[in-house]
Amino acid sequence: MRAGAGGAPLKLKINKYYLPDPKAPWTTRVRHRLLRRPVPDFPRTVQLETQTGCNADCVFCDYGVSYPLQAKGKIDWDLFRKIVDECARYRVRRFSPYLTNEPFADKELLERLEYVNKKMPWSKIVVTTNAHYLVPQMVDRILALSRPLHAIYISFQGIEKEAYEATMRGNMKFERTMENVTYLTDRIKKEKLARPEVWITMVDTKMIDAPKAIAYWKERGIRAKYTTLENRGGNVIQIDKLQKSEEMTTYTTCTRLMKQAYIHFNGDVVLCCVDNSRKVVFGNLKEQSLHEIWNSPKAVEHRRRYLSHDFAGLPLCGTCKVDQEREITNV
């Protein structure tokens, strides 16, 4: 390992994956092992929807189109415990109790988090929220958990009221969200808490001034980042009104399906976080274990085709595109 600035070890970041194949030539196996990561035999990260529903309807998400057509409900505790217990056996690195929903709409969420903390004390527990329900009383309860959340990512689109509300829609109100974020961050700063980390996140579209928003949060001493726009497997309508570049390119370097599992409230394990309509269901956790589903022929074949860039007719992945301005800014 080479030394970086000041003599510190320089870590090599490898984001490319490969499917281990004992029948491949030894030169290929060695090359892959040196330059890529093997697809693990169990997901490193698990996202689990505890109940359906989101009070926002962001323009860059197909939730508003897919939700009316989908089954709705809340995960039962037996299934929740079964999933968490299996994740604990395989020592999942990160667990996120949400998918295409607003997590804090689940009134039992904090009780669920305590169960996760008990079973997986080593795991990073991360939540992404629009902060509508992150009122002071909820913040106080979150900070009183036996083990704090590792991070809370807050979807806060832009920094101007009109653009924010036009982007997030639903019942989102700029002033309420700002008050909630301010209370959370002020408590963390005042009490000098190491956890949770708070990140403001946004998607870079024509509708907002992302760099300006990043600068605003930086001035307040709050971490922030914006990510590139994607068409979510071709499901976002009127994407041309949101993209900043003239054309969007096929997303050929996605790592989601290589290391992350996405589970709906009823136990359906889907391809990824953009599969609101459940176009690719690998299996159901009421009938199989997550390990069995993750290593099923259907899941492995989908990864093989993606890694081979065999996109023709490949559900979701074959039509998933991202804005050419693929910049991610972190502060």
Side-chain angles (χ1 to χ4, degrees):
M1 183 178 291
R2 292 182 299 155
L10 181 63
K11 293 184 178 180
L12 181 61
K13 187 175 182 179
I14 302 175
N15 287 323
K16 292 184 178 181
Y17 282 80
Y18 73 94
L19 287 169
D21 180 8
K23 297 181 181 179
W26 71 270
T27 53
T28 300
R29 283 181 279 140
V30 170
R31 184 174 69 253
H32 281 172
R33 198 69 185 95
L34 291 174
L35 301 176
R36 301 189 178 198
R37 294 179 184 272
V39 174
D41 63 359
F42 197 86
R44 304 295 190 207
T45 298
V46 171
Q47 280 191 237
L48 172 61
E49 174 187 70
T50 64
Q51 74 172 43
T52 54
C54 184
N55 58 299
D57 182 19
C58 300
V59 295
F60 49 80
C61 177
D62 65 307
Y63 170 82
V65 176
S66 63
Y67 181 72
L69 305 176
Q70 300 308 310
K72 301 167 182 64
K74 189 172 186 176
I75 192 170
D76 65 68
W77 270 96
D78 286 343
L79 179 58
F80 180 82
R81 293 189 187 97
K82 174 188 175 183
I83 294 170
V84 173
D85 290 353
E86 185 178 6
C87 289
R89 288 197 299 273
Y90 286 94
R91 299 189 67 83
V92 163
R93 296 177 183 175
R94 168 175 160 169
F95 187 90
S96 294
Y98 69 92
L99 188 50
T100 55
N101 63 308
E102 166 49 46
F104 289 106
D106 181 359
K107 295 181 180 180
E108 295 182 289
L109 183 68
L110 299 191
E111 187 178 353
R112 298 186 194 280
L113 291 176
E114 289 287 28
Y115 185 79
V116 177
N117 285 334
K118 176 183 176 182
K119 291 292 183 174
M120 297 192 290
W122 63 84
S123 184
K124 292 182 178 180
I125 313 301
V126 179
V127 171
T128 295
T129 174
N130 59 41
H132 177 83
Y133 296 105
L134 209 60
V135 293
Q137 297 91 330
M138 176 60 77
V139 169
D140 293 344
R141 291 179 61 201
I142 292 170
L143 298 183
L145 286 169
S146 61
R147 178 173 173 265
L149 287 164
H150 181 269
I152 298 177
Y153 287 81
I154 298 173
S155 178
F156 201 125
Q157 307 301 315
I159 202 59
E160 289 90 5
K161 173 181 170 62
E162 183 176 352
Y164 168 87
E165 294 182 357
T167 300
M168 300 200 70
R169 303 185 301 189
N171 68 349
M172 299 302 299
K173 298 299 179 184
F174 180 85
E175 293 84 2
R176 174 176 173 141
T177 307
M178 184 62 75
E179 289 174 2
N180 290 347
V181 172
T182 298
Y183 181 83
L184 170 64
T185 53
D186 282 355
R187 268 213 61 185
I188 291 173
K189 290 178 181 178
K190 181 179 179 180
E191 298 174 32
K192 299 180 180 179
L193 302 176
R195 293 285 185 270
E197 291 183 358
V198 175
W199 282 87
I200 302 297
T201 68
M202 63 201 75
V203 178
D204 193 18
T205 71
K206 286 181 178 179
M207 296 181 66
I208 66 171
D209 187 338
K212 179 179 179 180
I214 294 292
Y216 169 83
W217 294 110
K218 179 180 179 181
E219 182 67 23
R220 289 185 57 178
I222 298 172
R223 300 176 180 90
K225 66 179 180 179
Y226 63 84
T227 58
T228 188
L229 172 70
E230 60 180 272
N231 71 355
R232 298 179 68 86
N235 292 322
V236 178
I237 58 176
Q238 298 181 321
I239 193 74
D240 57 309
K241 294 184 178 180
L242 303 176
Q243 65 193 65
K244 300 183 74 173
S245 55
E246 292 185 3
E247 295 184 21
M248 298 186 77
T249 57
T250 300
Y251 198 175
T252 62
T253 59
C254 181
T255 62
R256 292 169 184 157
L257 69 162
M258 307 300 165
K259 62 180 180 178
Q260 300 177 204
Y262 303 90
I263 308 168
H264 283 283
F265 80 98
N266 66 343
D268 282 342
V269 179
V270 296
L271 173 65
C272 77
C273 54
V274 309
D275 196 2
N276 294 352
S277 298
R278 305 180 196 183
K279 293 181 179 179
V280 182
V281 179
F282 292 134
N284 187 279
L285 289 169
K286 292 180 181 178
E287 304 165 356
Q288 295 175 280
S289 69
L290 183 53
H291 184 272
E292 290 171 331
I293 295 172
W294 180 259
N295 295 287
S296 66
K298 185 175 181 179
V300 173
E301 176 62 10
H302 197 104
R303 294 188 197 106
R304 185 198 65 76
R305 288 189 60 187
Y306 186 85
L307 290 171
S308 300
H309 287 190
D310 179 12
F311 299 124
L314 190 62
L316 288 178
C317 295
T319 52
C320 197
K321 295 185 177 183
V322 294
D323 200 306
Q324 287 183 348
E325 297 181 5
R326 301 186 60 184
E327 179 181 7
I328 299 178
T329 297
N330 297 289
V331 178

